[in-house]
Amino acid sequence: MSVPSMNIWYVSQISQSEVFYQQLLGSAAIESSPSFAMFQLNSSAMLGLWSEPDVLPPLSESQATVRQSGELCLLQSHRAAVDQAYQHCLNQEFAIAQVPSEAEFGYSFVVLDPDRNRIRYLVAS
């Protein structure tokens, strides 16, 4: 059985995205090059960032203009951790798509990366 262990997101400016995720996650990329950066999210999951012009096989014109639908969820142990992450994002002046609030699946907020990808901090209910 295959186990998902890495998400790769295509980004328009790798250096800008790498700085954003370093500030967001509080750790440096474990791998970094002019076209790719990889962050360790936990012991079994990683997030890769790949510069759109360097993606292989190359993206078609229609693929390059469509952003992903979905979001990266960063599970937190309790509400205070979500609130602390929210305050960190505000201090960094990151774009906030949703302030902390309760939903049917738990307490969360959403921040946007430089390419408008959604990152949700969540305490699952």
Side-chain angles (χ1 to χ4, degrees):
M1 175 178 176
S2 297
V3 177
S5 59
M6 183 189 325
N7 281 330
I8 297 178
W9 285 3
Y10 307 144
V11 298
S12 57
Q13 295 181 28
I14 191 72
S15 59
Q16 181 182 22
S17 293
E18 184 174 351
V19 168
F20 172 87
Y21 281 95
Q22 181 173 335
Q23 292 173 340
L24 181 77
L25 300 171
S27 62
I30 61 170
E31 183 179 325
S32 180
S33 72
S35 64
F36 187 80
M38 184 167 27
F39 289 87
Q40 188 80 44
L41 298 177
N42 62 34
S43 62
S44 62
M46 294 180 283
L47 174 64
L49 307 173
W50 201 352
S51 177
E52 285 177 348
D54 299 305
V55 171
L56 295 175
L59 298 172
S60 69
E61 195 172 310
S62 63
Q63 289 172 320
T65 59
V66 175
R67 283 273 158 230
Q68 71 181 36
S69 62
E71 54 194 32
L72 176 67
C73 291
L74 300 175
L75 294 178
Q76 305 297 299
S77 57
H78 48 80
R79 290 174 68 104
V82 171
D83 292 335
Q84 183 179 15
Y86 176 70
Q87 190 59 52
H88 172 74
C89 289
L90 287 177
N91 293 344
Q92 295 293 322
E93 298 183 358
F94 294 153
I96 303 295
Q98 177 188 348
V99 299
S101 58
E102 193 67 47
E104 62 187 51
F105 52 82
Y107 182 70
S108 68
F109 79 93
V110 177
V111 61
L112 302 175
D113 78 2
D115 288 290
R116 312 298 287 172
N117 294 310
R118 297 164 56 117
I119 302 102
R120 180 178 301 274
Y121 282 82
L122 167 70
V123 177
S125 53

